[in-house]
Amino acid sequence: MTKHPARAWDQATARTIIDSHRAEPGALLPIFHALQDTFGYVDREALPLIAEALNISRAEVHGVMSFYHDFREEPAGRTVIKICRAEACQAVGCQGLVDHVEARHGIALGETTADGAVTVEEVFCLGNCALGPSAMVDGKPLGRMTREKLDHLIAAARTGRQ
Amino acid sequence: MTLRIYVPADASALSVGADLVADAIAAELAARRIEAQVIRTGSRGLFWLEPMVEVATLTGRIAYGPVDVADVPQLIPALLEGAPHKLKLGNPDAIPYLARQERLTFGRVGVIDPVSVDDYRAHGGFKGLEKALAMKPAEIVEEVVASGLRGRGGAGFPTGIKWRTVLGAQADQKYIVCNADEGDSGTFADRMLMEGDPMILIEGMTIAGLAVGATQGYIYIRSEYPHAFRTFGRAVEACRKAGLLGTRIAGSDRDFDITVRLGAGAYVCGEETSLLESLEGKRGLVRFKPPLPALKGLFGKPTVINNVLSLAAVPTILADGAKTYADFGMGRSRGTLPFQLAGNIKYGGLVEKAFGLTLGEAVHDFGGGTLSGRPLRAVQVGGPLGAYFPADYLDTPLDYEAFAQRRGMLGHGGIVVFDDTVDMAEQARFAFEFCAKESCGKCTPCRIGSTRGRETMERVIRGEHIADNLTLIEDLCRTMTDASLCALGGLTPYPVTSAIEHFPEDFDRPRAHRAAAE
């Protein structure tokens, strides 16, 4: 959701985060979100810590994490481009954008470029359905998306310009 | 008087550059040493005009749009002195698109500073809460029953009846849960409201708490809406600071507070029982009903779970009276529906109007037809589980029963327009794909049926044994309709069968260049 957390995984920080949420009713999602906001993903090593803190099984922690599309097991690219593939955006050609990104840049949905610069993902509805096709780049909504704009975004991400 | 300039910070306005415009205005004002206040608002919902900038004048606000960063240097003299400008739209309330609406819930959206308690109050906010604080719980509930308000989330169940059940339940703790997991494509009313007037929802949730005896509320906002999440959180903080949330709210002896939770990308969590599971920190698996959430909801306690728009309608009902609200609408659909024009449409946006406008009036009179200028071919109403209607169904009134009669659904009021380039077999295939991706997996018809449905539809598209495969699809759809646990599996057949019924020609033709057709 946010632009990229510089922080490398460390257990002590993770423990502090987990502890600050453990008393909340239904704390699991807030914990995953907080870890991912900090580290950019939820490290495997966090799972037993969470299980212990909430007194549930590791399998349960893993089961919940894997159920939700948002949580990552490893870091994403430095820039995350989400392209909306829901009906309102389909009506104005979002599939063409997805096909273009794959054909021109070699990035299929769900993939990250080898240089770690860009991850492209699908999303179903950003609530920007009157100004589609829509995308979200590092949490910023972008409407009336075109192939050219995507080319610029990807090029900028790869050369480190923002 | 300090110059006041309004620039939307609504996510849709941001998606076409509102932040850049706001920054450019601030920089230009600073360079000219002009003292002014730039207020970030929600959007009035006229998205083709975004970013729409407004300035307060002695005779009311004047709007300009769509404003590009490059327009800003010339715009400043217009804002300051009312000089003529090519983007001048005049009084925004007089723009026909807005002037023809009946905004009960969205009246303040785009007008006020969304996180200012004072601004909210100055525009009529908290009147409903004040009334509710002077009433007995059962009186509040009966007022909502009398208004005829039905759940705006899609199912259309009477809100007051739900509240009555929770009021009657005995428990040490009850909850109000606001379902802000607006995942339907073509819908953005919840998002706009949370970004543009979050306090109306806070007020509605608080009134619900007073009505049923709940002291704790939860709002579950989908993670695809980071801006709504932040704005709503700031509004909650502002209300707490003003003593309107927390203990002894508004100087009364009643307590109510709200916890804001973020979803994690699962469409099925818009289903109420699955949302409750998610709030409890579990996988969003649908629960069997009964027991109803009204009796055993969040953490096993009696729970009111309502959609954003249902709860946001409540302050108006309390402030102006049930009858005033019920006087809007038709048949059993009372009040107003904020519907949303989306997809391939010229003037996409939000239109709040009493039930009863026809689909065609919405799409043509408000929406101006397709964006591409090509003929309209299909309209999907009610999100990804809603039926596809052909052009000759445009006479259908926007009313729950009228849609049901034509085997469609009004749902959350999202209207998605497609022009004649749409491939309806592809849309039917997508409906299965979406269901397969978003199924919670608890029941077999949804989990397996959606995958088999997608495969079968792919065979139809490839032209393999079309008639036999369509028979198979029909059978599969019947199973999903009859045997799924919740609406995701149960309603996926709507888009599929409506596409086959109304657009049969798309299911029986060679399509060698399908991939290139986009």
Side-chain angles (χ1 to χ4, degrees), chain A residues 1 24-26 28-30 33 63-64 67-71 85-88 90-93 95-96 99 122-131 136 139 141-144, chain B residues 11-12 15 185-186 188 191 218 222-223 225 227 261-265 278-284 299 341-344 380 384 388 416-418 427 430 433-434 437-438 518:
Chain A
M1 190 175 109
E24 283 173 42
L28 201 41
L29 261 65
H33 274 304
V64 173
F67 181 84
Y68 295 96
H69 300 312
D70 281 3
F71 302 126
R85 279 192 68 228
E87 288 86 347
Q90 289 168 18
V92 281
Q95 191 54 45
D99 294 343
E122 68 181 354
V123 62
F124 293 109
C125 200
L126 296 164
N128 193 29
C129 323
L131 292 174
M136 190 171 262
L142 295 170
R144 297 276 188 245
Chain B
S12 274
S15 84
S185 173
F188 43 81
R191 182 189 63 65
Y218 280 88
R222 64 199 293 261
S223 61
Y225 287 179
H227 300 85
R261 280 286 172 84
L262 192 62
S278 187
L279 272 178
E280 291 180 6
K282 302 172 190 158
R283 285 182 288 162
F299 303 116
L341 296 171
N344 196 328
Q380 187 183 31
Y388 285 99
V416 177
V417 174
F418 293 81
Q427 297 310 116
F430 176 78
E433 177 192 342
F434 182 74
K437 280 190 172 145
E438 298 296 339
E518 279 294 339

Side-chain angles (χ1 to χ4, degrees), chain B residues 15 56 62 105 133 185 206 236 250 253 278 295-296 365 371 390 418 441 451 466 472:
Chain B
S15 84
I62 303 293
T105 301
L133 280 167
S185 173
T206 309
V236 164
D253 59 351
S278 187
L295 298 173
K296 267 179 91 101
D365 299 357
L371 177 70
F418 293 81
T451 299
I466 293 173
L472 201 59

Side-chain angles (χ1 to χ4, degrees), chain B residues 19 70 140 158 178 194 250 272 323-324 329 338 369 386 422 432 450 462-463:
Chain B
D19 266 351
I140 305 174
C178 175
M194 290 187 283
E272 61 180 17
K323 187 176 176 305
T324 308
V422 67
F432 281 127
S450 53
R462 286 199 299 266

Side-chain angles (χ1 to χ4, degrees), chain B residues 290-419:
Chain B
L292 294 171
L295 298 173
K296 267 179 91 101
L298 186 62
F299 303 116
K301 304 291 184 184
T303 301
V304 164
I305 175 161
N306 278 143
N307 179 259
V308 169
L309 299 180
S310 322
L311 287 162
V314 168
T316 310
I317 292 167
L318 268 287
D320 301 340
K323 187 176 176 305
T324 308
Y325 189 81
D327 281 346
F328 290 91
M330 68 174 276
R332 288 172 50 220
S333 302
R334 310 310 314 174
T336 58
L337 177 71
F339 61 84
Q340 301 120 85
L341 296 171
N344 196 328
I345 192 150
K346 199 166 174 191
Y347 303 125
L350 179 116
V351 176
E352 182 176 353
K353 192 99 179 129
F355 287 94
L357 188 75
T358 68
L359 186 54
E361 286 168 327
V363 166
H364 289 299
D365 299 357
F366 279 95
T370 63
L371 177 70
S372 62
R374 300 180 64 93
L376 177 150
R377 180 143 187 257
V379 181
Q380 187 183 31
V381 183
L385 311 176
Y388 285 99
F389 278 3
D392 56 2
Y393 271 31
L394 288 176
D395 59 345
T396 317
L398 295 165
D399 160 84
Y400 294 113
E401 276 69 33
F403 265 72
Q405 227 166 40
R406 287 186 155 172
R407 277 173 289 160
M409 64 170 196
L410 198 46
H412 192 50
I415 298 173
V416 177
V417 174
F418 293 81
D419 71 11

Side-chain angles (χ1 to χ4, degrees), chain B residues 19-32:
Chain B
D19 266 351
L20 298 173
V21 168
D23 290 349
I25 290 174
E28 194 73 25
L29 292 168
R32 296 173 188 223

